[in-house]
Amino acid sequence: AWLSVGCGTGCTARVALAPTLAKLPVGQWTRVGVPLKCLAKAGADVAKLDRPWSVGTAGAMTVSVSRVALGALDQAEQTVDCAR
């Protein structure tokens, strides 16, 4: 699973979500944060985002999303690690 964003013609970035999602408890709401630096590291120009987010997977996945927001990572209960 991944989160992707678009930032104009030929500008896109994809960040892996699977390692973070695999740690989450099933059936429980959890706030997951994706640092903008992860998107920038993956190639996005975060100052020009025109497709704020989409989620994709190569297989089957069931996920519920109740809110998408730009905000401080201190509000997230789990944060995607993009150090790799």
Side-chain angles (χ1 to χ4, degrees), residues 5-13 43-45 47-51:
V5 296
C7 42
T9 303
C11 181
T12 186
D45 181 341
K48 296 181 180 180
L49 296 181
D50 62 358
R51 183 173 42 90

Side-chain angles (χ1 to χ4, degrees), residues 1 7 15 18 20 28 34 36-38 43 50 52 63 68 74 76 83:
C7 42
V15 174
T20 303
Q28 180 178 328
V34 179
L36 286 176
K37 68 180 180 183
C38 293
D50 62 358
V63 63
V68 175
D74 64 354

Side-chain angles (χ1 to χ4, degrees), residues 11-55:
C11 181
T12 186
R14 182 186 284 191
V15 174
L17 293 179
T20 303
L21 296 179
K23 298 178 203 174
L24 301 181
V26 175
Q28 180 178 328
W29 289 105
T30 306
R31 287 186 196 101
V32 176
V34 179
L36 286 176
K37 68 180 180 183
C38 293
L39 298 169
K41 184 176 178 179
D45 181 341
V46 295
K48 296 181 180 180
L49 296 181
D50 62 358
R51 183 173 42 90
W53 70 283
S54 63
V55 175

